[in-house]
């Protein structure tokens, strides 16, 4: 399993009280870090978690997020590219980060025969818009 933008899911798990130590874990439960990321100094007042399904070949328009976004690909393959970065192919089981204000130029279901599903976790301020469709390709 690949990990992109190394190092954050445990950060938000800790924030919502789900960080258990190995000593307190019941037998039969395992834990695997999918992504760990040091957060910039921002105030998080709202955590929003969305399940998003992209139809075969469907892509999102160029956009950015005013808040930090963390994601996990549940099924399928997603072609992803942030401004100034090389393209990345995300597969089921991969996690990713979209930094606040960073232009996302490509986010597309790479499969033409089946949907791709991912979970997006938005770390926002209260009542903050979480996605802005871009009218140009500049980084915000």
């Amino acid at each position: 399993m690949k990990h992109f933008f190394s190092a954050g899911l445990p950060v938000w798990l800790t924030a919502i009280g789900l960080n258990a130590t190995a000593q307190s874990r019941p037998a039969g439960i395992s834990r695997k870090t999918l992504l760990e990321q040091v957060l910039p100094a921002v105030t998080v007042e709202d955590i929003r978690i969305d399940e998003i399904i992209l139809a075969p070949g469907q892509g999102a328009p160029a956009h950015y997020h005013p808040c930090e976004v963390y994601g996990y690909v549940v099924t399928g393959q997603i072609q992803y590219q942030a401004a100034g970065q090389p393209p990345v192919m995300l597969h089921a089981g991969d996690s990713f980060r979209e930094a606040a204000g960073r232009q996302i130029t490509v986010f597309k279901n790479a499969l033409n025969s089946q949907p791709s599903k991912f979970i997006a976790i938005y770390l926002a301020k209260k009542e903050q818009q979480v996605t802005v469709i871009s009218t140009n390709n500049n980084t915000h």
Side-chain angles (χ1 to χ4, degrees):
M1 183 176 302
K2 298 176 190 170
H3 303 286
F4 295 95
F5 311 104
S6 75
L9 207 46
V11 172
W12 76 268
L13 289 175
T14 300
I16 60 174
L18 297 178
N19 190 21
T21 64
Q23 295 80 14
S24 65
R25 245 183 270 147
I29 296 177
S30 65
R31 181 178 307 271
K32 181 179 185 178
T33 300
L34 299 175
L35 179 77
E36 186 175 349
Q37 174 70 47
V38 175
L39 293 174
V42 297
T43 301
V44 176
E45 300 170 322
D46 186 34
I47 296 176
R48 176 174 160 181
I49 302 174
D50 289 347
E51 175 185 82
I52 301 167
I53 300 172
L54 297 171
Q58 177 68 45
H63 65 281
Y64 71 96
H65 303 281
C67 60
E68 290 288 308
V69 179
Y70 296 87
Y72 177 78
V73 180
V74 178
T75 60
Q77 296 178 9
I78 296 173
Q79 183 181 359
Y80 170 82
Q81 186 170 15
Q85 301 294 314
V88 174
M89 185 65 69
L90 301 168
H91 299 88
D94 289 342
S95 50
F96 60 94
R97 171 186 180 228
E98 295 182 6
R102 163 83 34 111
Q103 176 79 17
I104 307 303
T105 57
V106 177
F107 199 95
K108 176 184 177 184
N109 182 353
L111 303 175
N112 291 318
S113 60
Q114 65 187 48
S116 289
K117 179 173 28 176
F118 67 100
I119 305 297
I121 303 157
Y122 305 89
L123 305 180
K125 294 180 181 173
K126 188 174 182 179
E127 299 180 19
Q128 181 180 35
Q129 180 179 359
V130 296
T131 302
V132 177
I133 303 303
S134 300
T135 56
N136 58 44
N137 288 332
N138 295 329
T139 303
H140 291 80

